[in-house]
């Protein structure tokens, strides 16, 4: 991994947008866009972005589940299936 390839100034983005898109889609590594030497944005390929969103969604579900188990509001599978069947009928 060459970090200099993954950090680009906004002027590079403006002049070489197609090249940057090709880079992020082929390497699947995000590129950090800087403005006045400060990181301001991240350019990422769609596939990696979707995988990241899905992973965050799963982590949120796990977090909610852990809280429900800790506070005693979780129910076992049999009761959950019963409730679902009742709602469907």
């Amino acid at each position: 991994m060459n970090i200099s390839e993954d950090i680009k100034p906004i002027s590079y983005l403006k002049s070489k947008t197609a090249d940057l898109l090709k880079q992020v889609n082929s390497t699947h590594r995000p590129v950090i866009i800087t403005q006045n030497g400060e990181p301001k944005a991240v350019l990422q390929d769609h596939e990696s972005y979707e995988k990241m969103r899905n992973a965050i969604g799963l982590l949120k579900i796990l977090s909610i589940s852990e809280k429900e188990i800790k506070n005693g509001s979780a129910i076992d599978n049999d009761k959950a299936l019963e409730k679902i069947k009742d709602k469907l009928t």
Side-chain angles (χ1 to χ4, degrees), residues 22-34:
K22 185 177 178 181
Q23 177 183 332
V24 297
N25 282 293
S26 65
T27 66
H28 300 285
R29 291 191 325 255
V31 173
I32 298 169
I33 305 300
T34 63

Side-chain angles (χ1 to χ4, degrees), residues 54-71 74:
N54 290 337
I56 290 169
L58 289 172
L59 288 171
K60 285 180 180 179
I61 291 169
L62 284 172
S63 176
I64 291 168
S65 299
E66 284 180 341
K67 287 178 186 174
E68 288 178 350
I69 290 168
K70 284 180 183 176
N71 71 21

